[in-house]
């Protein structure tokens, strides 16, 4: 099976956007609960990109970013990646610890495990929303964090999408706590077999 | 002046002297840098997957090691490179996330490296040096002067191979 995301019609894109919306919304409210603050979220954007556009679309493809990857098992298998820039990761870590005013873009061991937990909760609630929409049972693995060049982190979902077609589909989420802006991207990366199952269940392909 | 030419993900380019071929942030993808000393013609491929055989409809030959390397060599020969004296350098093929309990797909970096080596061996193109594997991203720049390959990383600085 090959899927060409460029050929999806508006209705199908709306379905994907809605998954992103609900998933990211769920993730953000989990985060708000965790740090006990109000967080506003803009409507997530669903983006479709050709592979060769990937390095260009990143503002700084060589800049280190934080990637949090979890495996999915159950009715849908695959991965979910949550990627955010180091500034956003720092903001979230500071909020989590409450008292921190650090601006450092390096993270110590404790902060790294906080980032893992953050990814765990956010992707977990994202997957919970997906699970609710589809009635699928989906389990997540423990999170794995990598801090490296944006383009290198992105190669992980890109390669998975590469087995299906010529484009990558992802959901860009942006949220604010007061004046602090956090920008994160969710990549839902089902395995080839799960893709069809997922899109069929959601009525995106018939 | 050297011309700085970018090679995207799932992309390959061949060019003459003087020029620099650049690909940014290789993760599990592999960069295959080819150099022909007598004409200083260079070529760079940024592949994502080991073989086109896993895909039913090959739309983009630049995506796979087997098809991209063959096409890149053809392009270099078209530009006047001597097919028999082309040399290769490899970089990339990292495992960005350290999963132990996962399927083979996540170890795709390793398979990309092996496939690239196999294809080069079949084409009788020697690999003179490589910087592959590990768990970090790499930016690479191939220089037409002498075929040197610059490798830039986040944690390990800059190296030439």
């Amino acid at each position: 099976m090959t899927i060409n995301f460029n050929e999806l019609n508006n209705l199908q894109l709306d379905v994907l956007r809605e998954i992103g919306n609900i998933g990211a919304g769920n993730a953000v409210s989990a985060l708000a609960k965790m740090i006990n603050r109000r967080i506003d979220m803009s409507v997530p954007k669903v983006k479709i990109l050709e592979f060769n556009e990937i390095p260009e679309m990143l503002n700084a493809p060589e800049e280190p970013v934080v990637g949090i990857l979890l495996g999915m098992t159950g009715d849908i298998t695959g991965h979910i990646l949550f990627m955010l820039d180091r500034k956003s990761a720092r903001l979230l870590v500071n909020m989590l610890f409450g008292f921190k005013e650090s601006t450092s873009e390096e993270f110590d061991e404790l902060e790294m495990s906080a980032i893992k937990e953050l990814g765990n909760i956010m992707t977990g609630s994202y997957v919970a929303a997906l699970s609710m929409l589809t009635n699928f049972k989906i389990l997540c693995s423990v999170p794995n964090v990598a801090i490296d060049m944006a383009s290198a982190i992105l190669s992980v979902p890109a390669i998975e999408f590469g087995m299906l077609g010529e484009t990558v589909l992802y959901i860009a989420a942006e949220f604010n706590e007061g004046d602090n802006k956090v920008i994160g991207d969710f990549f839902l990366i089902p395995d080839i077999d799960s893709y069809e199952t997922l899109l069929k269940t959601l009525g995106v392909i018939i | 002046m050297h011309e700085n030419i970018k090679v995207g993900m799932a992309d390959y380019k061949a060019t003459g002297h003087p020029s620099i071929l650049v690909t940014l942030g290789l993760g599990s993808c592999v960069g295959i840098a080819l150099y022909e000393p007598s004409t200083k013609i260079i070529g760079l491929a940024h592949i994502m997957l080991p073989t086109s055989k896993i895909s039913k409809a090959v739309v983009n030959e630049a995506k796979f090691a087997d098809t991209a390397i063959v096409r890149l060599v053809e392009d270099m020969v078209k530009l006047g490179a001597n097919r028999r004296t082309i040399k290769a350098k490899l970089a990339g093929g990292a495992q960005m996330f350290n999963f132990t309990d996962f399927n083979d797909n996540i170890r795709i970096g390793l398979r990309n490296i092996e496939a690239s080596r196999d294809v080069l061996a079949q084409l009788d193109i020697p690999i003179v040096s490589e910087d592959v594997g590990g768990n970090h991203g790499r930016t690479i720049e191939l220089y037409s002067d002498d075929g040197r390959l610059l490798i830039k990383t986040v944690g390990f600085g800059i190296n030439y191979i």
Side-chain angles (χ1 to χ4, degrees), chain A residues 1 51-52 54-56 61-62 64 67 69-71 79 81 141-142 144-146 148-149 151-153 155-156 158-160 162-163 165-166 191, chain B residues 6 8-10 24-29 48-49 54 56 59-60 63 96-99 102-103 105-106 108 112 135-139 152-154:
Chain A
M1 184 190 63
F51 297 128
N52 52 24
I54 290 175
E56 300 303 318
E62 296 178 274
L69 185 75
L70 289 93
H79 297 91
L81 174 72
S141 75
V142 289
N144 204 294
V145 179
D148 212 308
M149 296 176 180
S151 176
I153 297 277
S155 76
V156 175
I159 285 172
E160 295 287 328
M163 296 182 195
E166 302 304 318
D191 291 340
Chain B
K6 286 223 171 88
M9 192 179 278
L24 302 172
L26 283 167
S28 301
C29 298
M48 300 172 72
L49 291 162
I54 60 167
K56 278 177 200 151
V59 185
N60 181 3
K63 201 159 70 178
M96 298 306 298
F97 292 91
N98 280 316
F99 273 111
F102 271 104
N103 58 35
N105 283 352
I106 217 77
I108 197 83
N112 279 336
N135 55 10
H136 58 277
R138 298 167 173 92
T139 281
K152 222 189 300 177
T153 59
V154 172

Side-chain angles (χ1 to χ4, degrees), chain A residues 135-194:
Chain A
N135 264 328
F136 286 145
K137 202 172 171 186
I138 311 167
L139 301 169
C140 283
S141 75
V142 289
N144 204 294
V145 179
I147 300 182
D148 212 308
M149 296 176 180
S151 176
I153 297 277
L154 258 179
S155 76
V156 175
I159 285 172
E160 295 287 328
F161 279 103
M163 296 182 195
L164 295 166
E166 302 304 318
T167 45
V168 174
L169 178 141
Y170 75 100
I171 294 145
E174 194 176 298
F175 36 98
N176 305 287
E177 184 276 320
D179 293 332
N180 298 321
K181 190 187 270 182
V182 176
I183 301 166
D185 294 326
F186 284 101
F187 295 80
L188 184 68
I189 322 157
D191 291 340
I192 296 179
D193 298 335
S194 296

Side-chain angles (χ1 to χ4, degrees), chain A residues 27-41:
Chain A
V28 167
S29 58
L31 177 71
K33 248 180 233 157
M34 193 161 58
I35 60 172
N36 200 20
R37 287 192 216 189
R38 183 198 157 89
I39 294 178
D40 299 313
M41 190 185 72

Side-chain angles (χ1 to χ4, degrees), chain B residues 2 17 19-21 35 40 42 141-150 160:
Chain B
H2 282 78
H17 181 66
S19 49
I20 306 167
L21 287 169
Y35 170 65
K40 296 182 193 269
I42 53 174
E141 297 180 9
L142 175 64
Y143 292 79
S144 63
D145 317 285
D146 52 2
R148 71 185 184 279
L149 188 67
L150 175 145
Y160 287 93

